[in-house]
Amino acid sequence: ALSPGILFTMLVFGPACGFILGSFCTKIYVDAVFIDTSNLDITPDDPRWIGAWWAGFLLCGALLFFSSLLMFGFPQSLPLHSDPAVESEQAMLPETDNEPTEEEKGSQQGVDGTKALFDLIPKVTKHLLSNPVFTCIVLAACMEIAVVAGFAAFLGKYLEQQFNLTTSSANQLLGMTAIPCACLGIFLGGLLVKKLSLSALGAIRMAMLVNLVSTACYVSFLFLGCDTGPVAGVTVPYGNTSAPGAALDPYSPCNKNCECQTDSFTPVCGADGVTYLSACFAGCNSTGQWGRTTNLTGCACLTGPPENATVVPGKCPSPGCQEAFLTFLCVMCVCSMIGAMAQTPSVIILIRTVSPELKSYALGVLFLLLRLLGTYP
């Protein structure tokens, strides 16, 4: 019962390492190889920062290449296991000129075996897919992996936008919290199946129960998050955050001569506590320059005295957002752990529904369909 859990843990451990590697790569500037990063006036906390997204691909590609070199250590063909008694009897027989050599026998067996294998694969696949229990388990796993793949792909960006996290921080949190909890859930699922000696029906009931609980936990995400703060021209009008019925337009007389563009979102937080779509929309003068410790000044769209008309890069923090983020993180870890507890029972059910000689091939079909019907879409 634990061997499928180990298999799934390996599949989860890989993305965990990927998220952690991504968090380190995004702390490096995208053009760090070609420019002197000490002259940059932005930091990884700046929303305009673009990390070295390409570094992880190069590193993983190099690791895959060097690890594949070990494959050349295998012989061209592995020796067949034979009975020593039969070999001794064949050695006592007289040799004839017409008898094929061992090399010719092996070559002929290889050709016949390959042809028989290709003839057998469609029949075995059809036999597996005609099993209703096997087919239902595979389709359920595909639907689950589709949800998990989409959730994992966009969760980092969601954490950035919803809780004002940097890209590196979001990836690091995902790799060090949610995914290890999923590994723990896989092991707990295997332990429960083994300790309780669950039958196939018991494993099905366990998988259904933990999936229902996990779904209820994920629904709770709809009620967890930070309130959207005031955004000038989007949620509140310029100059007055409480004027009822005022027109919401990102363009205002205070920035009409700035020729601001809406094709990019580089938010800034004004000293008045209002977020602006960019420094241009805040009416900041063009002579100001971003620095590591300085702010843009002379922003005409801000309310208050002129000496306080400054903005800093990033959205304005929402009150109570840190507490909401900690709650979200705890619920996410619980959801990941409970949902992963269904992985091992599902594989146990799948293996028990096929004949013993088809177990390995059934797992291969499972993971192939997981990629084709789950991850790729």
Side-chain angles (χ1 to χ4, degrees):
L2 290 178
S3 56
I6 296 174
L7 181 61
F8 273 102
T9 303
M10 293 173 60
L11 295 177
V12 175
F13 184 71
C17 296
F19 276 114
I20 295 175
L21 176 62
S23 68
F24 288 109
C25 292
T26 50
K27 292 180 181 178
I28 305 172
Y29 192 65
V30 62
D31 292 331
V33 179
F34 305 103
I35 64 174
D36 184 9
T37 56
S38 60
N39 296 328
L40 288 176
D41 59 352
I42 58 176
T43 65
D45 296 331
D46 195 294
R48 297 170 297 164
W49 178 274
I50 300 177
W53 54 267
W54 47 266
F57 291 98
L58 290 181
L59 179 60
C60 293
L63 292 175
L64 286 172
F65 173 76
F66 287 112
S67 62
S68 65
L69 297 178
L70 300 176
M71 298 295 180
F72 290 99
F74 287 94
Q76 186 175 2
S77 60
L78 297 176
L80 299 176
H81 177 73
S82 57
D83 191 356
V86 176
E87 290 183 353
S88 62
E89 291 179 0
Q90 291 178 349
M92 296 175 63
L93 296 176
E95 295 183 0
T96 59
D97 296 335
N98 296 329
E99 185 175 354
T101 62
E102 292 296 330
E103 184 177 353
E104 292 174 348
K105 289 181 180 179
S107 176
Q108 183 63 32
Q109 289 176 355
V111 173
D112 295 341
T114 303
K115 184 177 182 301
L117 179 63
F118 280 105
D119 293 339
L120 189 62
I121 286 179
K123 298 178 182 179
V124 176
T125 305
K126 181 180 178 181
H127 172 72
L128 286 176
L129 296 180
S130 62
N131 185 336
V133 179
F134 176 85
T135 304
C136 288
I137 292 296
V138 170
L139 291 178
C142 290
M143 288 186 286
E144 182 178 4
I145 201 67
V147 174
V148 171
F151 187 75
F154 293 99
L155 185 58
K157 182 60 65 177
Y158 176 79
L159 294 178
E160 294 178 41
Q161 299 297 327
Q162 186 70 17
F163 300 104
N164 295 332
L165 299 178
T166 62
T167 303
S168 59
S169 299
N171 289 334
Q172 192 170 4
L173 283 171
L174 290 177
M176 299 180 65
T177 56
I179 297 182
C181 288
C183 293
L184 178 61
I186 292 174
F187 276 114
L188 289 177
L191 285 174
L192 287 176
V193 171
K194 185 175 182 180
K195 294 296 183 181
L196 301 177
S197 300
L198 296 179
S199 61
L201 183 59
I204 290 177
R205 290 172 176 170
M206 174 183 170
M208 290 181 62
L209 178 62
V210 297
N211 277 321
L212 287 175
V213 175
S214 177
T215 302
C217 291
Y218 280 113
V219 170
S220 66
F221 286 163
L222 297 175
F223 309 99
L224 296 175
C226 296
D227 294 333
T228 302
V231 181
V234 179
T235 62
V236 295
Y238 280 87
N240 190 344
T241 59
S242 61
L248 295 178
D249 187 358
Y251 295 97
S252 175
C254 61
N255 58 31
K256 64 179 180 179
N257 297 325
C258 299
E259 298 182 357
C260 303
Q261 303 296 324
T262 58
D263 55 353
S264 62
F265 179 60
T266 53
V268 294
C269 178
D272 55 358
V274 179
T275 300
Y276 297 85
L277 297 180
S278 66
C280 180
F281 282 101
C284 301
N285 56 46
S286 58
T287 58
Q289 297 293 329
W290 289 118
R292 293 182 180 272
T293 58
T294 61
N295 308 323
L296 281 182
T297 59
C299 302
C301 294
L302 273 69
T303 58
E307 58 271 13
N308 291 335
T310 61
V311 297
V312 295
K315 296 188 296 183
C316 294
S318 302
C321 192
Q322 185 176 4
E323 293 78 7
F325 170 68
L326 294 176
T327 304
F328 179 89
L329 192 63
C330 294
V331 175
M332 183 177 63
C333 291
V334 174
C335 290
S336 301
M337 184 179 67
I338 296 177
M341 291 176 64
Q343 300 296 330
T344 302
S346 300
V347 177
I348 294 298
I349 300 165
L350 184 142
I351 291 177
R352 292 182 181 179
T353 56
V354 298
S355 54
E357 62 271 12
L358 297 180
K359 289 182 179 181
S360 299
Y361 187 72
L363 287 176
V365 173
L366 168 65
F367 287 106
L368 174 64
L369 294 178
L370 285 179
R371 299 297 188 272
L372 293 179
L373 303 180
T375 305
Y376 290 156

